[in-house]
Amino acid sequence: MKYIIVGLGNFGASLAEKLTAKGNEVIGIDNRMNKVDLFKEKISHTICMDATDEFTVSGLPLKDTDIVIIAIGENQGANVMVTALFKNLRVKRLISRAIDPLHEKVLMAIGVDEIVHPEEETAERWAKKLCLTNVVDSFELSDDFSIIEVEIPTRFVGKTIKEIELRSKFNLLALTTIKKTEVTSVVGKTRSEDSVQGVASPNTILNANEILVIYGANKDLQNFTNQ
């Protein structure tokens, strides 16, 4: 996977380092030369540039980039400008950092694909979420083992955990499933509500619109999710 990360503050730099360590190609961008020099040995590529300059940004390999992440946190105005610029350049997938609720609404209006809340979500969690397909959330137990929530692939819907050979073929343990339902309030607003279905067994049937919670080694989790 190829990433562009704009803003090498604590969150952006940490995420760029972790994605690079996982074998991805990452371009880290910042307008501060000291930040670029600091991480040039830890990130695939680092560039010192003004990401609000459309001419400069258009020279980046945007067509070959899978995901662009705007991690600017110190300057809300710059964050919005850069996010809008990359949106206008029609990158494949755009993720931006929200500083407060109002800022989040502005980013949603721009039309970003996902929003990051670094104060609540770690760079490690986002690195895993980006590298593993269909992962909803993750919890790292150690450097090698994690628990993840993953959307059930279409090809597994209607089958039991035993039938998909989760243990024998993928060396993973199913912990539970989570059913997502839409609940409508008295004022007509809808929200998603999670319902944990209890401890999973080999005969647990996997249904559409459910989340499967599994445990295992990170390499086995990546093998399962990226099938």
mmCIF file of all heavy atoms in Angstrom, residues 11 15 67-72 79 83 93-122 126 129-130 136:
data_model
loop_
_atom_site.group_PDB
_atom_site.id
_atom_site.type_symbol
_atom_site.label_atom_id
_atom_site.label_comp_id
_atom_site.label_asym_id
_atom_site.label_seq_id
_atom_site.Cartn_x
_atom_site.Cartn_y
_atom_site.Cartn_z
ATOM 1 N N PHE A 11 1.195 12.421 16.231
ATOM 2 C CA PHE A 11 0.341 11.392 15.645
ATOM 3 C C PHE A 11 0.775 11.036 14.228
ATOM 4 O O PHE A 11 0.938 9.865 13.883
ATOM 5 C CB PHE A 11 -1.118 11.854 15.643
ATOM 6 C CG PHE A 11 -2.059 10.859 15.017
ATOM 7 C CD1 PHE A 11 -2.463 9.725 15.709
ATOM 8 C CD2 PHE A 11 -2.531 11.036 13.711
ATOM 9 C CE1 PHE A 11 -3.319 8.793 15.126
ATOM 10 C CE2 PHE A 11 -3.383 10.119 13.129
ATOM 11 C CZ PHE A 11 -3.777 8.987 13.838
ATOM 12 N N LEU A 15 2.271 7.394 13.093
ATOM 13 C CA LEU A 15 1.531 6.584 12.130
ATOM 14 C C LEU A 15 2.390 6.283 10.908
ATOM 15 O O LEU A 15 2.412 5.145 10.415
ATOM 16 C CB LEU A 15 0.257 7.327 11.712
ATOM 17 C CG LEU A 15 -0.661 6.608 10.707
ATOM 18 C CD1 LEU A 15 -1.112 5.256 11.253
ATOM 19 C CD2 LEU A 15 -1.868 7.480 10.380
ATOM 20 N N ILE A 67 -4.001 5.889 -0.084
ATOM 21 C CA ILE A 67 -4.658 6.646 0.988
ATOM 22 C C ILE A 67 -3.858 7.910 1.312
ATOM 23 O O ILE A 67 -2.628 7.856 1.444
ATOM 24 C CB ILE A 67 -4.798 5.800 2.269
ATOM 25 C CG1 ILE A 67 -5.634 4.533 1.989
ATOM 26 C CG2 ILE A 67 -5.445 6.606 3.398
ATOM 27 C CD1 ILE A 67 -5.727 3.586 3.181
ATOM 28 N N VAL A 68 -4.553 9.029 1.443
ATOM 29 C CA VAL A 68 -3.948 10.285 1.902
ATOM 30 C C VAL A 68 -4.512 10.594 3.280
ATOM 31 O O VAL A 68 -5.733 10.562 3.484
ATOM 32 C CB VAL A 68 -4.258 11.457 0.943
ATOM 33 C CG1 VAL A 68 -3.723 12.767 1.520
ATOM 34 C CG2 VAL A 68 -3.661 11.186 -0.432
ATOM 35 N N ILE A 69 -3.630 10.887 4.229
ATOM 36 C CA ILE A 69 -4.040 11.186 5.608
ATOM 37 C C ILE A 69 -3.563 12.587 5.975
ATOM 38 O O ILE A 69 -2.363 12.872 5.942
ATOM 39 C CB ILE A 69 -3.458 10.158 6.596
ATOM 40 C CG1 ILE A 69 -3.899 8.743 6.208
ATOM 41 C CG2 ILE A 69 -3.886 10.474 8.034
ATOM 42 C CD1 ILE A 69 -3.100 7.646 6.872
ATOM 43 N N ILE A 70 -4.496 13.463 6.311
ATOM 44 C CA ILE A 70 -4.154 14.819 6.756
ATOM 45 C C ILE A 70 -4.082 14.783 8.280
ATOM 46 O O ILE A 70 -5.104 14.727 8.957
ATOM 47 C CB ILE A 70 -5.196 15.852 6.285
ATOM 48 C CG1 ILE A 70 -5.505 15.685 4.789
ATOM 49 C CG2 ILE A 70 -4.702 17.263 6.603
ATOM 50 C CD1 ILE A 70 -4.298 15.772 3.883
ATOM 51 N N ALA A 71 -2.860 14.827 8.808
ATOM 52 C CA ALA A 71 -2.660 14.676 10.256
ATOM 53 C C ALA A 71 -2.307 15.990 10.936
ATOM 54 O O ALA A 71 -1.865 15.998 12.084
ATOM 55 C CB ALA A 71 -1.553 13.646 10.513
ATOM 56 N N ILE A 72 -2.515 17.115 10.239
ATOM 57 C CA ILE A 72 -2.209 18.433 10.816
ATOM 58 C C ILE A 72 -3.115 18.687 12.016
ATOM 59 O O ILE A 72 -4.337 18.599 11.909
ATOM 60 C CB ILE A 72 -2.416 19.546 9.770
ATOM 61 C CG1 ILE A 72 -1.496 19.321 8.574
ATOM 62 C CG2 ILE A 72 -2.176 20.921 10.388
ATOM 63 C CD1 ILE A 72 -1.784 20.240 7.393
ATOM 64 N N ASN A 79 -5.408 22.692 8.217
ATOM 65 C CA ASN A 79 -5.962 21.344 8.089
ATOM 66 C C ASN A 79 -7.122 21.346 7.092
ATOM 67 O O ASN A 79 -7.192 20.498 6.195
ATOM 68 C CB ASN A 79 -6.427 20.853 9.456
ATOM 69 C CG ASN A 79 -7.077 19.478 9.417
ATOM 70 O OD1 ASN A 79 -8.133 19.301 8.817
ATOM 71 N ND2 ASN A 79 -6.485 18.505 10.079
ATOM 72 N N THR A 83 -7.052 19.589 3.421
ATOM 73 C CA THR A 83 -8.058 18.542 3.198
ATOM 74 C C THR A 83 -8.881 18.851 1.951
ATOM 75 O O THR A 83 -9.102 17.978 1.098
ATOM 76 C CB THR A 83 -8.992 18.416 4.423
ATOM 77 O OG1 THR A 83 -8.222 18.076 5.576
ATOM 78 C CG2 THR A 83 -10.042 17.338 4.190
ATOM 79 N N ARG A 93 -8.666 7.756 -1.500
ATOM 80 C CA ARG A 93 -9.257 7.683 -0.155
ATOM 81 C C ARG A 93 -8.630 8.755 0.706
ATOM 82 O O ARG A 93 -7.404 8.849 0.783
ATOM 83 C CB ARG A 93 -9.017 6.295 0.451
ATOM 84 C CG ARG A 93 -9.672 6.080 1.817
ATOM 85 C CD ARG A 93 -9.420 4.652 2.293
ATOM 86 N NE ARG A 93 -9.831 4.435 3.664
ATOM 87 C CZ ARG A 93 -9.522 3.347 4.372
ATOM 88 N NH1 ARG A 93 -8.808 2.372 3.829
ATOM 89 N NH2 ARG A 93 -9.919 3.208 5.622
ATOM 90 N N LEU A 94 -9.456 9.574 1.333
ATOM 91 C CA LEU A 94 -8.975 10.732 2.092
ATOM 92 C C LEU A 94 -9.423 10.630 3.552
ATOM 93 O O LEU A 94 -10.609 10.521 3.846
ATOM 94 C CB LEU A 94 -9.505 12.024 1.471
ATOM 95 C CG LEU A 94 -9.082 13.347 2.120
ATOM 96 C CD1 LEU A 94 -7.561 13.503 2.076
ATOM 97 C CD2 LEU A 94 -9.753 14.521 1.410
ATOM 98 N N ILE A 95 -8.442 10.670 4.440
ATOM 99 C CA ILE A 95 -8.696 10.619 5.882
ATOM 100 C C ILE A 95 -8.113 11.882 6.494
ATOM 101 O O ILE A 95 -6.990 12.281 6.167
ATOM 102 C CB ILE A 95 -8.038 9.380 6.522
ATOM 103 C CG1 ILE A 95 -8.612 8.097 5.906
ATOM 104 C CG2 ILE A 95 -8.232 9.363 8.037
ATOM 105 C CD1 ILE A 95 -7.886 6.831 6.326
ATOM 106 N N SER A 96 -8.873 12.549 7.381
ATOM 107 C CA SER A 96 -8.382 13.786 7.974
ATOM 108 C C SER A 96 -8.593 13.805 9.479
ATOM 109 O O SER A 96 -9.505 13.158 10.004
ATOM 110 C CB SER A 96 -9.075 14.995 7.333
ATOM 111 O OG SER A 96 -8.435 16.197 7.724
ATOM 112 N N ARG A 97 -7.748 14.547 10.142
ATOM 113 C CA ARG A 97 -7.780 14.652 11.603
ATOM 114 C C ARG A 97 -8.707 15.771 12.050
ATOM 115 O O ARG A 97 -8.615 16.901 11.564
ATOM 116 C CB ARG A 97 -6.368 14.928 12.120
ATOM 117 C CG ARG A 97 -6.281 15.219 13.598
ATOM 118 C CD ARG A 97 -4.842 15.484 14.003
ATOM 119 N NE ARG A 97 -4.720 15.730 15.432
ATOM 120 C CZ ARG A 97 -3.557 15.862 16.068
ATOM 121 N NH1 ARG A 97 -2.437 15.781 15.393
ATOM 122 N NH2 ARG A 97 -3.537 16.074 17.367
ATOM 123 N N ALA A 98 -9.613 15.452 12.992
ATOM 124 C CA ALA A 98 -10.518 16.462 13.541
ATOM 125 C C ALA A 98 -9.998 16.949 14.886
ATOM 126 O O ALA A 98 -9.578 16.148 15.732
ATOM 127 C CB ALA A 98 -11.915 15.879 13.697
ATOM 128 N N ILE A 99 -10.030 18.258 15.073
ATOM 129 C CA ILE A 99 -9.519 18.852 16.306
ATOM 130 C C ILE A 99 -10.636 19.050 17.331
ATOM 131 O O ILE A 99 -10.440 18.899 18.528
ATOM 132 C CB ILE A 99 -8.825 20.194 16.002
ATOM 133 C CG1 ILE A 99 -7.643 19.942 15.040
ATOM 134 C CG2 ILE A 99 -8.333 20.870 17.282
ATOM 135 C CD1 ILE A 99 -7.029 21.188 14.473
ATOM 136 N N ASP A 100 -11.851 19.383 16.869
ATOM 137 C CA ASP A 100 -12.987 19.568 17.765
ATOM 138 C C ASP A 100 -14.269 19.261 16.982
ATOM 139 O O ASP A 100 -14.228 19.059 15.759
ATOM 140 C CB ASP A 100 -13.005 20.990 18.345
ATOM 141 C CG ASP A 100 -12.979 22.069 17.279
ATOM 142 O OD1 ASP A 100 -13.733 21.945 16.289
ATOM 143 O OD2 ASP A 100 -12.216 23.040 17.429
ATOM 144 N N PRO A 101 -15.428 19.215 17.635
ATOM 145 C CA PRO A 101 -16.682 18.858 16.948
ATOM 146 C C PRO A 101 -17.029 19.743 15.754
ATOM 147 O O PRO A 101 -17.506 19.253 14.731
ATOM 148 C CB PRO A 101 -17.731 18.988 18.057
ATOM 149 C CG PRO A 101 -16.976 18.698 19.319
ATOM 150 C CD PRO A 101 -15.626 19.313 19.100
ATOM 151 N N LEU A 102 -16.807 21.053 15.874
ATOM 152 C CA LEU A 102 -17.096 21.957 14.767
ATOM 153 C C LEU A 102 -16.186 21.653 13.573
ATOM 154 O O LEU A 102 -16.635 21.610 12.421
ATOM 155 C CB LEU A 102 -16.927 23.408 15.199
ATOM 156 C CG LEU A 102 -17.177 24.468 14.118
ATOM 157 C CD1 LEU A 102 -18.582 24.338 13.550
ATOM 158 C CD2 LEU A 102 -16.925 25.867 14.678
ATOM 159 N N HIS A 103 -14.925 21.433 13.862
ATOM 160 C CA HIS A 103 -13.964 21.087 12.820
ATOM 161 C C HIS A 103 -14.383 19.793 12.129
ATOM 162 O O HIS A 103 -14.300 19.662 10.895
ATOM 163 C CB HIS A 103 -12.570 20.940 13.436
ATOM 164 C CG HIS A 103 -11.494 20.647 12.447
ATOM 165 N ND1 HIS A 103 -10.351 19.957 12.778
ATOM 166 C CD2 HIS A 103 -11.395 20.927 11.125
ATOM 167 C CE1 HIS A 103 -9.586 19.833 11.715
ATOM 168 N NE2 HIS A 103 -10.195 20.412 10.697
ATOM 169 N N GLU A 104 -14.862 18.837 12.890
ATOM 170 C CA GLU A 104 -15.314 17.566 12.326
ATOM 171 C C GLU A 104 -16.470 17.795 11.349
ATOM 172 O O GLU A 104 -16.529 17.168 10.283
ATOM 173 C CB GLU A 104 -15.734 16.609 13.436
ATOM 174 C CG GLU A 104 -16.194 15.247 12.927
ATOM 175 C CD GLU A 104 -16.427 14.250 14.041
ATOM 176 O OE1 GLU A 104 -16.012 14.503 15.188
ATOM 177 O OE2 GLU A 104 -17.027 13.193 13.753
ATOM 178 N N LYS A 105 -17.396 18.675 11.699
ATOM 179 C CA LYS A 105 -18.533 18.968 10.818
ATOM 180 C C LYS A 105 -18.053 19.578 9.503
ATOM 181 O O LYS A 105 -18.595 19.282 8.425
ATOM 182 C CB LYS A 105 -19.510 19.914 11.516
ATOM 183 C CG LYS A 105 -20.280 19.269 12.664
ATOM 184 C CD LYS A 105 -21.236 20.258 13.310
ATOM 185 C CE LYS A 105 -21.988 19.604 14.470
ATOM 186 N NZ LYS A 105 -22.903 20.561 15.143
ATOM 187 N N VAL A 106 -17.039 20.431 9.578
ATOM 188 C CA VAL A 106 -16.488 21.046 8.370
ATOM 189 C C VAL A 106 -15.863 19.979 7.482
ATOM 190 O O VAL A 106 -16.068 19.961 6.259
ATOM 191 C CB VAL A 106 -15.444 22.120 8.737
ATOM 192 C CG1 VAL A 106 -14.756 22.638 7.466
ATOM 193 C CG2 VAL A 106 -16.090 23.268 9.488
ATOM 194 N N LEU A 107 -15.114 19.059 8.089
ATOM 195 C CA LEU A 107 -14.471 17.986 7.324
ATOM 196 C C LEU A 107 -15.514 17.077 6.681
ATOM 197 O O LEU A 107 -15.351 16.632 5.541
ATOM 198 C CB LEU A 107 -13.557 17.169 8.241
ATOM 199 C CG LEU A 107 -12.340 17.908 8.808
ATOM 200 C CD1 LEU A 107 -11.558 16.987 9.751
ATOM 201 C CD2 LEU A 107 -11.424 18.405 7.694
ATOM 202 N N MET A 108 -16.589 16.814 7.402
ATOM 203 C CA MET A 108 -17.664 15.991 6.851
ATOM 204 C C MET A 108 -18.322 16.691 5.657
ATOM 205 O O MET A 108 -18.692 16.060 4.671
ATOM 206 C CB MET A 108 -18.696 15.684 7.934
ATOM 207 C CG MET A 108 -18.180 14.739 9.020
ATOM 208 S SD MET A 108 -19.347 14.493 10.374
ATOM 209 C CE MET A 108 -20.663 13.606 9.529
ATOM 210 N N ALA A 109 -18.450 18.011 5.763
ATOM 211 C CA ALA A 109 -19.039 18.776 4.665
ATOM 212 C C ALA A 109 -18.136 18.750 3.433
ATOM 213 O O ALA A 109 -18.619 18.737 2.296
ATOM 214 C CB ALA A 109 -19.276 20.219 5.105
ATOM 215 N N ILE A 110 -16.823 18.729 3.653
ATOM 216 C CA ILE A 110 -15.877 18.643 2.543
ATOM 217 C C ILE A 110 -16.008 17.294 1.849
ATOM 218 O O ILE A 110 -15.841 17.180 0.638
ATOM 219 C CB ILE A 110 -14.425 18.858 3.051
ATOM 220 C CG1 ILE A 110 -14.249 20.318 3.492
ATOM 221 C CG2 ILE A 110 -13.400 18.488 1.985
ATOM 222 C CD1 ILE A 110 -12.915 20.594 4.154
ATOM 223 N N GLY A 111 -16.341 16.264 2.655
ATOM 224 C CA GLY A 111 -16.552 14.942 2.066
ATOM 225 C C GLY A 111 -15.397 13.978 2.252
ATOM 226 O O GLY A 111 -15.143 13.150 1.376
ATOM 227 N N VAL A 112 -14.693 14.065 3.391
ATOM 228 C CA VAL A 112 -13.612 13.108 3.641
ATOM 229 C C VAL A 112 -14.211 11.719 3.859
ATOM 230 O O VAL A 112 -15.368 11.574 4.250
ATOM 231 C CB VAL A 112 -12.766 13.515 4.877
ATOM 232 C CG1 VAL A 112 -12.120 14.863 4.658
ATOM 233 C CG2 VAL A 112 -13.610 13.539 6.136
ATOM 234 N N ASP A 113 -13.402 10.690 3.599
ATOM 235 C CA ASP A 113 -13.886 9.314 3.735
ATOM 236 C C ASP A 113 -13.936 8.868 5.193
ATOM 237 O O ASP A 113 -14.837 8.142 5.596
ATOM 238 C CB ASP A 113 -12.990 8.370 2.929
ATOM 239 C CG ASP A 113 -13.027 8.704 1.442
ATOM 240 O OD1 ASP A 113 -14.114 8.610 0.849
ATOM 241 O OD2 ASP A 113 -11.968 9.070 0.889
ATOM 242 N N GLU A 114 -12.961 9.311 5.983
ATOM 243 C CA GLU A 114 -12.931 8.956 7.408
ATOM 244 C C GLU A 114 -12.306 10.091 8.196
ATOM 245 O O GLU A 114 -11.531 10.887 7.648
ATOM 246 C CB GLU A 114 -12.138 7.664 7.644
ATOM 247 C CG GLU A 114 -12.813 6.406 7.143
ATOM 248 C CD GLU A 114 -11.980 5.169 7.442
ATOM 249 O OE1 GLU A 114 -11.949 4.731 8.598
ATOM 250 O OE2 GLU A 114 -11.356 4.651 6.500
ATOM 251 N N ILE A 115 -12.619 10.133 9.495
ATOM 252 C CA ILE A 115 -12.085 11.174 10.370
ATOM 253 C C ILE A 115 -11.318 10.525 11.521
ATOM 254 O O ILE A 115 -11.768 9.542 12.113
ATOM 255 C CB ILE A 115 -13.206 12.070 10.906
ATOM 256 C CG1 ILE A 115 -13.804 12.880 9.740
ATOM 257 C CG2 ILE A 115 -12.698 13.011 11.995
ATOM 258 C CD1 ILE A 115 -14.997 13.720 10.119
ATOM 259 N N VAL A 116 -10.155 11.087 11.826
ATOM 260 C CA VAL A 116 -9.303 10.586 12.905
ATOM 261 C C VAL A 116 -9.446 11.472 14.127
ATOM 262 O O VAL A 116 -9.494 12.701 14.014
ATOM 263 C CB VAL A 116 -7.817 10.581 12.472
ATOM 264 C CG1 VAL A 116 -6.928 10.061 13.595
ATOM 265 C CG2 VAL A 116 -7.631 9.739 11.224
ATOM 266 N N HIS A 117 -9.511 10.830 15.306
ATOM 267 C CA HIS A 117 -9.505 11.551 16.583
ATOM 268 C C HIS A 117 -8.295 11.071 17.384
ATOM 269 O O HIS A 117 -8.414 10.148 18.192
ATOM 270 C CB HIS A 117 -10.789 11.299 17.372
ATOM 271 C CG HIS A 117 -12.036 11.657 16.624
ATOM 272 N ND1 HIS A 117 -12.717 10.775 15.817
ATOM 273 C CD2 HIS A 117 -12.734 12.830 16.557
ATOM 274 C CE1 HIS A 117 -13.764 11.371 15.291
ATOM 275 N NE2 HIS A 117 -13.797 12.614 15.716
ATOM 276 N N PRO A 118 -7.115 11.651 17.176
ATOM 277 C CA PRO A 118 -5.894 11.160 17.830
ATOM 278 C C PRO A 118 -5.953 11.150 19.354
ATOM 279 O O PRO A 118 -5.270 10.354 19.999
ATOM 280 C CB PRO A 118 -4.823 12.141 17.333
ATOM 281 C CG PRO A 118 -5.372 12.700 16.083
ATOM 282 C CD PRO A 118 -6.852 12.782 16.298
ATOM 283 N N GLU A 119 -6.771 12.042 19.922
ATOM 284 C CA GLU A 119 -6.870 12.074 21.383
ATOM 285 C C GLU A 119 -7.551 10.815 21.909
ATOM 286 O O GLU A 119 -7.385 10.443 23.068
ATOM 287 C CB GLU A 119 -7.659 13.308 21.830
ATOM 288 C CG GLU A 119 -6.968 14.639 21.569
ATOM 289 C CD GLU A 119 -7.015 15.046 20.099
ATOM 290 O OE1 GLU A 119 -7.824 14.460 19.346
ATOM 291 O OE2 GLU A 119 -6.228 15.914 19.705
ATOM 292 N N GLU A 120 -8.326 10.145 21.051
ATOM 293 C CA GLU A 120 -9.054 8.948 21.471
ATOM 294 C C GLU A 120 -8.507 7.679 20.822
ATOM 295 O O GLU A 120 -8.687 6.577 21.347
ATOM 296 C CB GLU A 120 -10.539 9.090 21.085
ATOM 297 C CG GLU A 120 -11.198 10.332 21.656
ATOM 298 C CD GLU A 120 -12.560 10.582 21.027
ATOM 299 O OE1 GLU A 120 -13.099 9.668 20.381
ATOM 300 O OE2 GLU A 120 -13.086 11.701 21.183
ATOM 301 N N GLU A 121 -7.846 7.816 19.674
ATOM 302 C CA GLU A 121 -7.392 6.656 18.922
ATOM 303 C C GLU A 121 -5.884 6.717 18.716
ATOM 304 O O GLU A 121 -5.348 7.743 18.331
ATOM 305 C CB GLU A 121 -8.093 6.612 17.556
ATOM 306 C CG GLU A 121 -9.608 6.619 17.675
ATOM 307 C CD GLU A 121 -10.266 6.943 16.351
ATOM 308 O OE1 GLU A 121 -10.007 8.033 15.820
ATOM 309 O OE2 GLU A 121 -11.032 6.100 15.880
ATOM 310 N N THR A 122 -5.185 5.616 18.972
ATOM 311 C CA THR A 122 -3.736 5.596 18.865
ATOM 312 C C THR A 122 -3.290 5.372 17.426
ATOM 313 O O THR A 122 -4.019 4.848 16.596
ATOM 314 C CB THR A 122 -3.144 4.471 19.733
ATOM 315 O OG1 THR A 122 -3.582 3.200 19.206
ATOM 316 C CG2 THR A 122 -3.591 4.610 21.179
ATOM 317 N N TRP A 126 -4.674 2.762 14.339
ATOM 318 C CA TRP A 126 -4.956 3.177 12.965
ATOM 319 C C TRP A 126 -4.057 2.470 11.966
ATOM 320 O O TRP A 126 -4.484 2.143 10.859
ATOM 321 C CB TRP A 126 -4.827 4.699 12.828
ATOM 322 C CG TRP A 126 -6.157 5.348 12.980
ATOM 323 C CD1 TRP A 126 -6.723 5.836 14.123
ATOM 324 C CD2 TRP A 126 -7.136 5.534 11.953
ATOM 325 N NE1 TRP A 126 -7.981 6.322 13.873
ATOM 326 C CE2 TRP A 126 -8.259 6.160 12.550
ATOM 327 C CE3 TRP A 126 -7.171 5.248 10.599
ATOM 328 C CZ2 TRP A 126 -9.395 6.494 11.825
ATOM 329 C CZ3 TRP A 126 -8.310 5.582 9.873
ATOM 330 C CH2 TRP A 126 -9.401 6.193 10.488
ATOM 331 N N LYS A 129 -5.630 -0.811 11.479
ATOM 332 C CA LYS A 129 -6.895 -0.663 10.764
ATOM 333 C C LYS A 129 -6.672 -0.430 9.275
ATOM 334 O O LYS A 129 -7.400 -0.945 8.429
ATOM 335 C CB LYS A 129 -7.686 0.498 11.378
ATOM 336 C CG LYS A 129 -9.070 0.708 10.777
ATOM 337 C CD LYS A 129 -9.793 1.819 11.515
ATOM 338 C CE LYS A 129 -11.186 2.047 10.946
ATOM 339 N NZ LYS A 129 -11.913 3.125 11.658
ATOM 340 N N LEU A 130 -5.635 0.322 8.938
ATOM 341 C CA LEU A 130 -5.351 0.631 7.548
ATOM 342 C C LEU A 130 -4.716 -0.537 6.806
ATOM 343 O O LEU A 130 -4.938 -0.726 5.613
ATOM 344 C CB LEU A 130 -4.425 1.859 7.459
ATOM 345 C CG LEU A 130 -5.059 3.186 7.890
ATOM 346 C CD1 LEU A 130 -3.996 4.253 8.017
ATOM 347 C CD2 LEU A 130 -6.132 3.616 6.903
ATOM 348 N N VAL A 136 -12.856 -3.175 11.741
ATOM 349 C CA VAL A 136 -13.651 -2.113 12.356
ATOM 350 C C VAL A 136 -12.898 -1.487 13.524
ATOM 351 O O VAL A 136 -12.888 -0.275 13.716
ATOM 352 C CB VAL A 136 -15.012 -2.673 12.839
ATOM 353 C CG1 VAL A 136 -15.826 -1.588 13.535
ATOM 354 C CG2 VAL A 136 -15.790 -3.254 11.667
#
